[in-house]
Amino acid sequence: MIDLSGKVAFVTGGSSGIGRAIAYTLAQVGAHLVIADLTESAREGGPTTGELIVADGGSAEHVLLDVSDSAQVSRVVADVSTRLGGIDILVNNAGVLVSGTVVETDDETWRRQMSVNVDGTFHCTREVIRQLLALDRPGKVVNISSISGLRGNPGFAAYCASKGAIVNFTRQVALDYAAHGINVNAVAPGFVTTEMTALYDDQTRDALSAQTPRGRWATAQDIANAVLFLASPLADHIVGENLLVDGGWTIGTPVQL
Ligand SMILES: NC(=O)c1ccc[n+]([C@@H]2O[C@H](COP(=O)([O-])OP(=O)(O)OC[C@H]3O[C@@H](n4cnc5c(N)ncnc54)[C@H](O)[C@@H]3O)[C@@H](O)[C@H]2O)c1
């Protein structure tokens, strides 16, 4: 039902985890994938995302990019857009997770968190929308936020602030460009098993699963499925949405009182 043949999709942080599943899923329905990451290697090991896609008959390339570097983003987006005739779909997925209460968070840690999650999303969104406007083309931007952008998460002050910023940035940018046919939306994952969440021990994992109505963590594929929908024409009339993919965690705990 979804066919993205002829579309170019630019997925940041696509070498590992959730971004890897997103890139693979978009390539399966015909998009050409530009996987933009600090490294080509997957944090979880195995073949690169590009190798996986090409082995399954898809089309993909890696570009090295630090999304926190504004000049680098401008250069890479311009290069890719010129070479491939434009970027139709941007997925702002690159992110880092730093821990600490507000008192434990020093300036450098705060800056690092914001520079990747917030500045990176800003840099890529600005450059891709600029080229869409210059080409007078519609497009899709999907930001990866988090349940931590809607609720507090004990001990993760900077991370929660960064994800909250992405939720409202999504709404604001969506408003400015909806009339141009550029849909900007977000997907808010709950707990997902990736290298980022390797810091949680089994006991914590089980406790968090028990607090989730669906009774389990999300897979990276659960998140990729939602991104696929928002990146497709099926979502043409969805504007500024923050789609929770959290097994029901945010709506309440499955404890009967
Ligand atoms: N794993 C979860 O439970 C979870 C929950 C909610 C939201 N998220 C969000 O999903 C996104 C992906 O997380 P993940 O779990 O797959 O993490 P991950 O650590 O497995 O993968 C993150 C990828 O981003 C890349 N990256 C980091 N900094 C970058 C930079 N400056 N420029 C370019 N690439 C960079 C890394 O190299 C890596 O490939 C993040 O935005 C994260 O905050 C994750």
Side-chain angles (χ1 to χ4, degrees):
M1 189 173 184
I2 295 176
D3 181 4
L4 297 181
S5 303
K7 303 288 185 195
V8 172
F10 191 96
V11 178
T12 69
S15 295
S16 302
I18 294 170
R20 180 173 171 87
I22 293 168
Y24 184 81
T25 302
L26 296 179
Q28 274 188 317
V29 295
H32 172 72
L33 258 296
V34 180
I35 301 150
D37 202 307
L38 291 173
T39 167
E40 288 191 17
S41 314
R43 291 186 69 195
E44 54 268 55
T48 67
T49 306
E51 286 168 349
L52 275 180
I53 290 172
V54 170
D56 275 357
S59 173
E61 60 185 272
H62 284 266
V63 293
L64 292 182
L65 177 67
D66 179 349
V67 296
S68 70
D69 183 331
S70 174
Q72 222 184 90
V73 171
S74 301
R75 195 179 64 244
V76 167
V77 168
D79 284 354
V80 168
S81 179
T82 304
R83 188 162 49 79
L84 301 177
I87 295 166
D88 305 284
I89 297 163
L90 166 67
V91 183
N92 282 306
N93 163 81
V96 293
L97 171 74
V98 300
S99 63
T101 64
V102 69
V103 170
E104 292 160 353
T105 303
D106 59 27
D107 292 356
E108 195 186 328
T109 307
W110 177 269
R111 254 335 303 151
R112 177 165 166 261
Q113 182 67 88
M114 294 298 161
S115 71
V116 181
N117 294 16
V118 182
D119 299 1
T121 298
F122 159 60
H123 296 148
C124 295
T125 302
R126 179 180 60 187
E127 296 311 311
V128 169
I129 290 184
R130 268 184 183 159
Q131 60 92 41
L132 282 169
L133 294 175
L135 294 168
D136 196 19
R137 293 238 298 252
K140 298 274 193 279
V141 177
V142 184
N143 298 325
I144 304 302
S145 58
S146 170
I147 51 174
S148 298
L150 298 172
R151 295 179 52 164
N153 186 356
F156 291 95
Y159 185 73
C160 287
S162 76
K163 292 299 183 176
I166 289 172
V167 171
N168 216 31
F169 178 70
T170 300
R171 296 189 188 108
Q172 197 285 327
V173 181
L175 198 56
D176 281 340
Y177 298 105
H180 293 270
I182 300 170
N183 299 71
V184 183
N185 289 293
V187 171
F191 298 98
V192 190
T193 304
T194 66
E195 290 301 305
M196 181 178 276
T197 47
L199 74 166
Y200 292 106
D201 60 23
D202 287 348
Q203 205 184 349
T204 310
R205 268 168 203 277
D206 290 347
L208 290 169
S209 294
Q211 288 169 19
T212 305
R214 194 72 176 77
R216 65 166 176 84
W217 281 34
T219 62
Q221 190 62 52
D222 290 322
I223 311 307
N225 294 341
V227 172
L228 170 63
F229 166 63
L230 289 175
S232 80
L234 295 180
D236 276 355
H237 211 55
I238 300 179
V239 174
E241 181 57 61
N242 183 50
L243 177 58
L244 281 160
V245 184
D246 67 347
W249 194 79
T250 307
I251 59 167
T253 51
V255 178
Q256 204 166 355
L257 300 173

